[in-house]
Amino acid sequence: MSDLHSVSRGDIERAAGVLASGGLVAFPTETVYGLGANASDPEAVARIFSVKGRPTDHPLIVHIANVDGLERWASSVPKIARQLTEVFWPGPLTVLVDRAAWVGDDVTGGRSSVGLRVPDHTVANAVLDSFASLLHDQPAGIAAPSANRFGRVSPTTADHVRADLGADVDLVLDGGPCLVGVESTIVDCRGVVPAVLRLGGISLERLAEVLGALPDVAGPTARSITSGMMPSHYAPQARVVLVALEGLFANVTDQTQRGFRVAVLAPAVVAGLPDEAIELEPAGTADNYARVLYDRLRQADRLGVDVLFVVPPSPDGIGAAVVDRLERASAASDGE
Ligand code: TXA
Ligand code: MG
C-alpha cells in the first residue's frame, strides 16, 4: 500500500464502516478536503446539507472508486466524458452526465444530471475501495462537498476541517495538506460541445489538448446552476481586494493610514511596503499559489486582518482557477 500519511489501514476501514452506517467522514483529496456520506443513503446525504448549512437544491459531487462507476451512475456516457475521464481520472476533473434512473434527487438537487469524479489521493482512493467492498455489488459512491460551512473557504488541511466543522463530523482523516489546493474543474459533458462550469485543478489548456479546441466556459447565468459558482463563494472574513503590483503601495498606504489592519498576498516578496502592513508568505508560482491560497485566506482571518490586498498570479494554467476564486472572494467582500 502506498503512503497513507498519518492514516492507518484501520482508520480506512473505520471510515468505510462509518460511511456504510450513515455517518459523515471528512477525508483528503488532491483538491480540497471533502465531507463525505454514502451517496445512496438519503438520510446520510441530508446530514451533509445540515452540517454544511447548504441549501438542499445545491447538488453534490459523487466520488467513485474508478471509471466503472461512470457506467453505473450515468444513464449514458457521452463520448466526451469518456475521452476526458480516460485522460484525467484519477484527478481533479468532475464530469456532469445524465444520471441513472435510480440515482436520488437528494444528491443531485433534483437535477437530471449527476457530477462524478475519481479523486487522486491515496487516502481517498483507499476509502473508496474499502467502502465499495462493504457494499458488495451495489454501486458505491461517496457524496462529498468541500468540508467547510456553506460559502466559506474550502479546507486544504485536516486542521481547517476541524476548525470549521468540529464535532459535527464522525471522523476526520488527516492525509496532510492537499497538493492541488483548488477544487476540481467541472465539465458539463451533456451538450454537443462540452462546457466548463467551474475552473479548477485541470486547466483549460489541458482540456484543449484532449478536446482539440478550448472548451466553452459557461457565463454567469449558466454557471449559477452550480452553487460554487455564486459570486459570494470562497470568502474569508477579511475584505479581499485584488490589485496590480503597480497599485499596491498606494492602496496599502491609504488603508493603513485610515487605521485598517492590512495584509498583502503576492506571488513574490514586495519591496517597500509600509511597516504596519503584514506581508503574508509569498504564494510563488501559479501551482504553488493554488496550493496555499485557502490557507493564506484563513491566515488573514486568524491575524484579524480587515483588508487583504492580493496580487493575483497570471491567469493561465491553474492560475485561471486561482484568479476565479479570488474574484469570488472579493465579490463577497463587496456584499454581493
Ligand atoms: O474538488 C472538488 O470538487 C471537491 C472535492 C471534495 O472533491 N468538491 C467540491 O464540492 O468542491 P462542492 O460541493 O463544494 O462543489 C461542487 C460543485 C457545486 O458548485 C455544485 O453545485 C456542483 O459542483 N455540482 C455538483 N453536481 C452538479 C450537477 N448535477 N449539476 C450542476 N452542478 C453540480
Ligand atoms: Mg465547496
Side-chain angles (χ1 to χ4, degrees), residues 15-322:
V18 169
L19 291 167
S21 57
L24 298 184
V25 175
F27 62 97
T29 79
E30 77 282 31
T31 59
V32 301
Y33 274 69
L35 175 63
N38 179 355
S40 312
D41 177 343
E43 278 172 36
V45 170
R47 281 191 65 201
I48 291 182
F49 287 98
S50 80
V51 165
K52 266 197 75 111
R54 173 164 165 154
T56 53
D57 61 346
H58 289 192
L60 303 176
I61 293 173
V62 176
H63 298 69
I64 51 181
N66 53 54
V67 73
D68 297 345
L70 187 56
E71 313 287 340
R72 305 192 74 178
W73 289 80
S75 62
S76 64
V77 180
K79 187 164 157 248
I80 287 164
R82 230 178 264 292
Q83 287 172 330
L84 292 176
T85 57
E86 205 165 281
V87 176
F88 296 117
W89 279 3
L93 173 78
T94 296
V95 291
L96 287 195
V97 291
D98 284 321
R99 73 183 202 194
W102 60 269
V103 176
D105 276 340
D106 47 340
V107 80
T108 61
R111 291 158 209 269
S112 58
S113 59
V114 62
L116 297 169
R117 130 170 157 89
V118 177
D120 184 16
H121 191 291
T122 48
V123 172
N125 299 111
V127 172
L128 280 161
D129 286 339
S130 180
F131 176 62
S133 70
L134 287 183
L135 292 200
H136 305 290
D137 232 11
Q138 289 162 258
I142 302 178
S146 49
N148 53 284
R149 304 274 182 210
F150 183 62
R152 311 305 313 184
V153 177
S154 295
T156 51
T157 68
D159 280 344
H160 294 164
V161 177
R162 291 189 200 104
D164 268 12
L165 302 180
D168 288 348
V169 196
D170 298 308
L171 181 63
V172 179
L173 297 176
D174 186 348
C178 300
L179 288 180
V180 174
V182 291
E183 298 82 351
S184 60
T185 301
I186 303 180
V187 181
D188 189 343
C189 296
R190 294 168 303 160
V192 181
V193 288
V196 174
L197 297 187
R198 178 175 73 182
L199 298 170
I202 300 289
S203 66
L204 294 175
E205 293 87 339
R206 291 185 68 198
L207 291 173
E209 282 170 20
V210 176
L211 300 169
L214 278 173
D216 286 352
V217 179
T221 317
R223 281 208 235 167
S224 69
I225 68 165
T226 62
S227 71
M229 296 292 92
M230 286 165 52
S232 63
H233 253 71
Y234 313 103
Q237 308 289 340
R239 186 153 62 87
V240 175
V241 180
L242 288 182
V243 60
L245 191 55
E246 304 73 59
L248 188 60
F249 183 79
N251 275 288
V252 169
T253 306
D254 172 69
Q255 293 292 299
T256 50
Q257 281 175 356
R258 287 169 195 253
F260 289 113
R261 196 167 162 79
V262 171
V264 169
L265 175 62
V269 174
V270 181
L273 287 174
D275 284 347
E276 307 87 298
I278 304 166
E279 189 166 4
L280 301 182
E281 194 187 324
T285 60
D287 282 333
N288 203 65
Y289 212 129
R291 207 170 292 138
V292 301
L293 174 66
Y294 292 143
D295 187 63
R296 295 288 191 281
L297 297 182
R298 284 167 183 265
Q299 190 187 358
D301 281 348
R302 286 196 303 274
L303 295 169
V305 166
D306 301 308
V307 190
L308 174 63
F309 286 106
V310 182
V311 179
S314 75
D316 34 49
I318 200 168
V322 173

